[in-house]
Amino acid sequence: MLKNLVIVESPAKAKTIEKFLGKDYTVRSSFGHVMDLSKKNMGVDIEHDFEPKYEISADKKKLVSELKKLAKDAELVWLASDEDREGEAISWHLLNALKIKEAKSKRIVFHEITKQAILHAIENPRSIDKNLVDAQQARRVLDRLVGFELSPLLWRKVKPSLSAGRVQSVAVRLIVEREEEIKNFKSTSSFRTLADFRLKDSTAKQSFTAEYGLKFKTAEEAEKFLKTQIGANYKVNSVTRKPAKKSPAAPFTTSTLQQEASRKLGFSVANTMRIAQRLYESGLITYMRTDSLNLSEVAIQAAKEEIENTFGKEYIKTRRYTTKNKSAQEAHEAIRPTYMNRTGAGETREEQRLYELIWKRTIASQMSDAKLEKTVVEISSDKAEKNFIAQGEVLKFDGFLKVYIEGSDDENGEVKDGILPDLHTSDILELLQMVSKERFTKHPPRYTEASLVRKLEELGIGRPSTYAPTISTIQKRGYVVKETREGEKRNLRRFILKENEVKESKVTENTGAEKAKLFPTDIGVLVTHFLFEYFPDIMDYNFTANVEKEFDEIAEGRKAWNEMIKRFYGGFHEKVEDTLKNAGKYSGEKLLGQDPKTGKNIYVKIGRFGPMVQMGDTDSEEKPVFAGLQKGQSIETLTLEDALKLFSFPKNIGEYEGEPVTVAIGRFGPYVKHKNLFYSIKKDKIPATLTLDEAIQIIEEKREVERNKIIKVFAEDEKVKVLNGRYGAYLVIDKQNYKIPKGTDPTTLTLEDCYEISKDPKNMPKKRSFKRKK
DNA sequence: CAGTGAGCGAGCTTCCGCTTGACTT
């Protein structure tokens, strides 16, 4: 007979805790939520106080029946899911799904996985907090209602298979709006003047840079100013020294880890989470989905010891960080190494780099401030109205900077405060050179995955467990694309005063280059405008924050959850019905002009399959002709000329091997068609001007690849082939693919071996979850 | 994978938040 069954959310956690608790305790994991709303009829009975219809999630059925058996045998079941809204609901669902009597169960919580914390929790059990569960139900039902009423509305009014939701739609809005800001941004330029000085009549050769206190609007002004400085006298007017300090950043949360890994290691948000998961499962770091800045007392002590041993006592300054984030639930610790004295860990290079980042950030957070001395020197010219200013910074004590400097998203490379020579008031200076260079103002930066996460967190939208999935959803729906774009060269003007002469020189700089930035698509823009027009409340950046306040009131027992939902749903549902009935199709249609040959109208708009051009009117007798836009083309920038090119396909460009060769554009981009076979045209060729020779080359290249694909064929049975694919060798029998078991050399397979392989169901490829219909 | 955009009107898509594997042609 089982004495104690403890259920936590994560299996890695279960393993650790089992060690602390000894053999009277069996620790299992629920793998997160085990129940969810049914997908049928909203999963909510709207007529009867929004009663939720829960069911055991399909992928948890087996697990639940196992847990149920264990729970039945156990004397006592300890529900140890996380101490937050979702965790409370998980415990409540477990109670229901496992059919545990409440008297036989105890609810316990802990914020850190230390023996002390767990034993303390066991000694202080409580019962399930139904108010907190209700707050979760309100959250869950609200998200379901919003998502499952708005999405079908989009299917009807914009395009099938789209989606909308409290979190994703606002995420897309941020990107769409940022793009609009960028489009409306007018870049202006000004001239910034930097002078290099040196102490006159001194043996010290060290030069330093100072900036003139005025920027010039035009090249003429800049040039004129430099000319006035020929032969001018410079001296130090004043020197101000001020002590300053820098403090370390707090330990990592999910969001800050994603940002730093993006800035410093170039990891995507999903990649960071995948690698962190590996480190967590290997027991190297604490839980990676957290919004807490807390470190356990044990961890702080270990960090202190590590700092003392490696850097010395003067580098220690233990600190407790408190979150400013109102939506934080702090069910876990901050992300930190499990063992502070382990300076490196991880199997792959990626794991090692992420681990090192976490180690450094955590250690630095418990180190002393860096002490600096900031110096500001004002320099006057006897021929200029304003002064020149030089700023210097000297590090007096490095403190935490010894191990960690936080990254920055700032793209404007400012002149770094360097080290200044020892200067005093009235010192006479010698001018080495003076440069006035044009600088353009920069548009607000596009979001990266990580900076979008930061913004969402700032707005209190989404949770640590959903940042990465949200980013992937909005890309999967085609609202947003992550792209790297090359910049353009831009000419700048620059004037140099040197040896009593002012010369102009041209400089070019690269501008507008973007690396892995998020751009809205036509569909993203259209859906955002649609939702913003009809559902401004839901698209409001404060919507989540406002409903969170109500969830808190529910959690405190001051409000009934279904009352809150009822109040929200009334107006919302009415608006949905009204839009369904009264709003027309939302296609973003735009008249581009007329076809010069036929005079027919040419439109660009979003159709069932995405952006397209249309020649002729829908209500005319003749059916209009359609053509889809190509990758990289956009409704917003498409010209009449572009549209006419799209209508020129399919185009016959000649004959090869006695059969016609045509060029066309399909769902997957431009292609060459020959003898009923398709050959896609790569990006480096422009389909509109593709010659027959180029087409033949494409055909022959593909044939060559096809030939190399075959590893083995059998004369006895032509249907059986061993082929080389993207993921290595595989077997095909009569159009059905099979995996070849690991450790088998594909070149040695006999026909009999192949039949054997095809009989084992283990070798069947997994069915794709969604198959596109014709 | 491969040219769709329609007049039958099937049957499908979809939310957020909590967890890991499965496994790609």
Side-chain angles (χ1 to χ4, degrees):
Chain A
M1 170 107 183
L2 201 60
K3 266 196 153 151
N4 296 285
L5 174 65
V6 182
I7 305 177
V8 295
E9 290 183 37
S10 143
K13 205 169 170 176
K15 233 167 69 189
T16 317
I17 292 172
E18 197 148 44
K19 273 186 250 157
F20 295 145
L21 286 175
K23 65 173 174 20
D24 284 346
Y25 291 80
T26 301
V27 188
R28 287 298 150 93
S29 147
S30 76
F31 292 80
H33 275 292
V34 294
M35 292 184 113
D36 192 18
L37 297 176
S38 158
K39 294 216 175 198
K40 280 180 289 195
N41 304 321
M42 289 286 184
V44 178
D45 189 347
I46 289 158
E47 308 293 314
H48 295 95
D49 280 335
F50 300 90
E51 200 186 300
K53 300 284 169 229
Y54 291 109
E55 50 188 39
I56 293 167
S57 310
D59 56 337
K60 299 288 166 58
K61 291 228 162 97
K62 209 176 136 209
L63 173 81
V64 166
S65 70
E66 279 167 24
L67 289 177
K68 199 170 165 181
K69 219 179 286 163
L70 285 172
K72 207 178 143 202
D73 287 349
E75 273 172 37
L76 207 50
V77 180
W78 302 79
L79 300 167
S81 47
D82 298 345
E83 182 173 36
D84 57 18
R85 209 160 57 200
E86 300 297 327
E88 204 67 17
I90 288 174
S91 280
W92 184 65
H93 286 151
L94 283 169
L95 211 61
N96 294 326
L98 308 184
K99 305 226 183 328
I100 307 166
K101 290 202 185 72
E102 224 171 327
K104 217 178 100 171
S105 77
K106 283 177 196 281
R107 168 86 171 113
I108 51 166
V109 293
F110 36 85
H111 298 264
E112 46 185 66
I113 318 292
T114 56
K115 189 167 184 177
Q116 196 193 354
I118 285 147
L119 295 179
H120 180 81
I122 294 274
E123 277 155 32
N124 296 278
R126 57 170 174 84
S127 54
I128 287 179
D129 180 347
K130 193 62 195 340
N131 289 332
L132 198 52
V133 172
D134 282 351
Q136 193 274 344
Q137 299 204 86
R139 199 280 304 156
R140 182 68 191 90
V141 170
L142 178 93
D143 283 335
R144 170 54 67 83
L145 292 172
V146 170
F148 274 37
E149 295 225 347
L150 288 187
S151 300
L153 190 61
L154 291 178
W155 306 342
R156 295 283 295 275
K157 299 297 177 186
V158 185
K159 184 173 143 17
S161 301
L162 294 177
S163 65
R166 174 176 59 81
V167 174
Q168 58 168 290
S169 296
V170 177
V172 178
R173 179 185 167 195
L174 284 165
I175 293 160
V176 169
E177 273 184 359
R178 177 57 53 87
E179 200 65 27
E180 279 162 8
E181 276 174 58
I182 292 170
K183 211 172 69 193
N184 296 329
F185 182 81
K186 300 261 182 299
S187 179
T188 57
S189 77
S190 61
F191 287 77
R192 182 178 185 218
T193 310
L194 299 176
D196 292 344
F197 293 110
R198 186 163 68 184
L199 265 173
K200 204 169 188 176
D201 309 322
S202 157
T203 47
K205 289 248 172 70
Q206 193 194 351
S207 70
F208 62 97
T209 306
E211 182 179 353
Y212 187 56
L214 188 69
K215 284 182 182 131
F216 303 107
K217 287 208 176 69
T218 65
E220 290 68 38
E221 285 172 57
E223 188 178 15
K224 202 172 125 200
F225 175 76
L226 288 203
K227 282 186 176 155
T228 64
Q229 296 308 297
I230 296 175
N233 297 302
Y234 302 93
K235 71 168 208 277
V236 174
N237 247 12
S238 69
V239 179
T240 333
R241 290 197 172 82
K242 255 196 294 194
K245 64 168 192 175
K246 274 188 190 149
S247 302
F252 279 134
T253 60
T254 303
S255 144
T256 52
L257 177 69
Q258 289 171 349
Q259 288 158 46
E260 280 289 85
S262 163
R263 289 191 282 236
K264 290 193 161 164
L265 311 177
F267 291 175
S268 73
V269 162
N271 209 14
T272 299
M273 293 313 283
R274 212 197 59 233
I275 299 160
Q277 176 88 32
R278 290 286 311 263
L279 292 172
Y280 168 65
E281 283 168 11
S282 316
L284 295 170
I285 61 167
T286 55
Y287 196 56
M288 64 281 153
R289 289 185 276 264
T290 176
D291 51 20
S292 170
L293 302 175
N294 275 328
L295 296 178
S296 70
E297 195 46 51
V298 182
I300 292 179
Q301 287 313 312
K304 195 172 153 185
E305 211 168 287
E306 177 65 22
I307 296 162
E308 183 168 352
N309 291 342
T310 316
F311 308 108
K313 249 197 165 95
E314 68 276 26
Y315 281 92
I316 300 172
K317 183 174 178 187
T318 58
R319 307 159 193 259
R320 290 205 165 271
Y321 296 86
T322 47
T323 181
K324 277 174 243 145
N325 183 343
K326 272 192 229 145
S327 58
Q329 309 226 354
E330 307 198 80
H332 306 271
E333 274 189 79
I335 305 170
R336 63 160 173 94
T338 318
Y339 308 104
M340 296 295 170
N341 54 5
R342 214 162 155 177
T343 55
E347 276 177 23
T348 64
R349 182 81 192 105
E350 286 184 321
E351 285 171 34
Q352 288 159 7
R353 293 177 78 197
L354 194 69
Y355 180 87
E356 189 186 61
L357 193 69
I358 295 168
W359 184 86
K360 284 184 169 174
R361 174 89 164 208
T362 312
I363 290 290
S365 80
Q366 301 303 319
M367 289 176 74
S368 32
D369 292 335
K371 293 195 185 80
L372 313 156
E373 185 181 78
K374 291 205 164 184
T375 310
V376 178
V377 180
E378 294 209 17
I379 298 150
S380 66
S381 158
D382 61 346
K383 288 178 178 164
E385 277 175 44
K386 303 264 183 197
N387 287 334
F388 290 81
I389 312 266
Q391 301 201 46
E393 197 176 89
V394 178
L395 194 60
K396 295 280 177 183
F397 175 67
D398 54 0
F400 77 95
L401 291 177
K402 214 175 186 84
V403 290
Y404 188 86
I405 301 168
E406 191 176 24
S408 142
D409 285 330
D410 191 8
E411 294 178 338
N412 295 321
E414 287 296 323
V415 180
K416 260 189 129 183
D417 293 346
I419 295 169
L420 297 175
D422 192 23
L423 298 167
H424 303 277
T425 309
S426 301
D427 279 351
I428 307 291
L429 299 174
E430 178 188 356
L431 177 72
L432 298 174
Q433 66 163 12
M434 196 181 293
V435 178
S436 195
K437 189 173 149 193
E438 188 171 21
R439 251 166 62 119
F440 287 87
T441 51
K442 283 200 173 129
H443 63 68
R446 291 193 173 84
Y447 287 104
T448 61
E449 289 188 351
S451 68
L452 181 64
V453 167
R454 181 175 58 186
K455 186 69 191 175
L456 289 173
E457 186 190 38
E458 198 180 299
L459 294 169
I461 299 170
R463 306 274 314 129
S465 68
T466 61
Y467 295 138
T470 300
I471 299 246
S472 109
T473 298
I474 60 178
Q475 294 181 65
K476 244 192 278 170
R477 297 276 173 276
Y479 293 147
V480 163
V481 284
K482 183 164 89 174
E483 275 184 12
T484 295
R485 294 189 185 171
E486 273 180 44
E488 289 165 8
K489 291 261 183 293
R490 171 160 67 190
N491 290 320
L492 301 178
R493 299 183 74 179
R494 181 173 70 165
F495 299 93
I496 301 178
L497 161 59
K498 206 173 177 181
E499 288 154 5
N500 293 327
E501 215 182 338
V502 175
K503 280 190 195 149
E504 179 173 358
S505 64
K506 290 244 161 60
V507 204
T508 56
E509 71 168 2
N510 210 20
T511 177
E514 295 280 27
K515 206 178 155 204
K517 294 288 173 65
L518 300 173
F519 294 79
T521 63
D522 286 331
I523 293 165
V525 172
L526 194 68
V527 166
T528 299
H529 288 169
F530 174 83
L531 292 173
F532 198 74
E533 186 175 334
Y534 295 103
F535 300 92
D537 300 353
I538 307 256
M539 295 298 273
D540 192 306
Y541 292 130
N542 290 316
F543 179 72
T544 292
N546 291 339
V547 292
E548 280 289 342
K549 267 185 224 145
E550 294 198 71
F551 297 154
D552 286 346
E553 287 174 48
I554 295 167
E556 287 160 21
R558 293 191 284 126
K559 205 176 226 176
W561 78 266
N562 35 18
E563 291 294 320
M564 179 226 156
I565 294 295
K566 191 174 174 180
R567 243 192 321 281
F568 163 78
Y569 188 71
F572 171 70
H573 182 68
E574 200 178 311
K575 187 76 199 166
V576 171
E577 290 287 311
D578 179 63
T579 311
L580 197 58
K581 217 177 346 167
N582 299 320
K585 196 105 163 93
Y586 211 82
S587 71
E589 184 176 281
K590 211 166 74 176
L591 182 66
L592 281 184
Q594 283 78 33
D595 178 25
K597 275 183 238 151
T598 62
K600 281 183 186 166
N601 283 333
I602 292 182
Y603 303 94
V604 58
K605 65 181 189 183
I606 303 263
R608 268 213 292 157
F609 305 105
M612 63 171 186
V613 284
Q614 174 184 328
M615 188 177 349
D617 288 86
T618 322
D619 50 9
S620 76
E621 278 185 27
E622 242 182 296
K623 218 180 122 183
V625 183
F626 302 96
L629 260 57
Q630 273 189 266
K631 227 178 154 191
Q633 289 185 319
S634 149
I635 283 198
E636 255 170 89
T637 55
L638 199 86
T639 62
L640 182 62
E641 202 180 89
D642 297 331
L644 292 173
K645 263 190 201 144
L646 291 171
F647 286 119
S648 73
F649 301 107
K651 195 164 82 176
N652 190 317
I653 56 168
E655 264 189 21
Y656 182 52
E657 297 171 345
E659 299 270 344
V661 177
T662 46
V663 177
I665 293 169
R667 265 176 13 96
F668 306 99
Y671 62 92
V672 174
K673 196 176 173 188
H674 177 244
K675 290 186 183 171
N676 260 330
L677 289 172
F678 298 89
Y679 304 88
S680 38
I681 301 172
K682 295 219 180 75
K683 260 207 162 149
D684 57 331
K685 300 237 167 44
I686 300 157
T689 57
L690 198 81
T691 62
L692 182 61
D693 283 347
E694 285 174 311
I696 290 169
Q697 199 191 336
I698 290 171
I699 292 169
E700 286 303 330
E701 272 171 19
K702 171 104 183 259
R703 285 181 179 172
E704 178 65 24
V705 171
E706 287 289 321
R707 274 195 292 274
N708 292 337
K709 211 175 128 182
I710 299 165
I711 297 178
K712 210 159 203 183
V713 283
F714 299 94
E716 306 93 298
D717 189 345
E718 281 179 5
K719 285 181 201 148
V720 182
K721 286 179 202 142
V722 182
L723 299 178
N724 207 357
R726 242 196 322 154
Y727 305 99
Y730 66 103
L731 172 67
V732 184
I733 300 179
D734 205 12
K735 286 185 181 164
Q736 173 67 57
N737 292 343
Y738 301 94
K739 288 183 287 184
I740 294 172
K742 270 193 190 132
T744 324
D745 182 357
T747 55
T748 62
L749 288 174
T750 63
L751 190 58
E752 277 64 43
D753 291 339
C754 292
Y755 289 141
E756 274 313 304
I757 289 172
S758 73
K759 275 182 212 143
D760 192 339
K762 270 210 309 274
N763 298 325
M764 291 292 280
K766 214 30 212 261
K767 259 203 224 111
R768 309 280 265 137
S769 53
F770 170 65
K771 199 148 188 252
R772 175 174 287 281
K773 281 182 312 228
K774 264 212 103 161

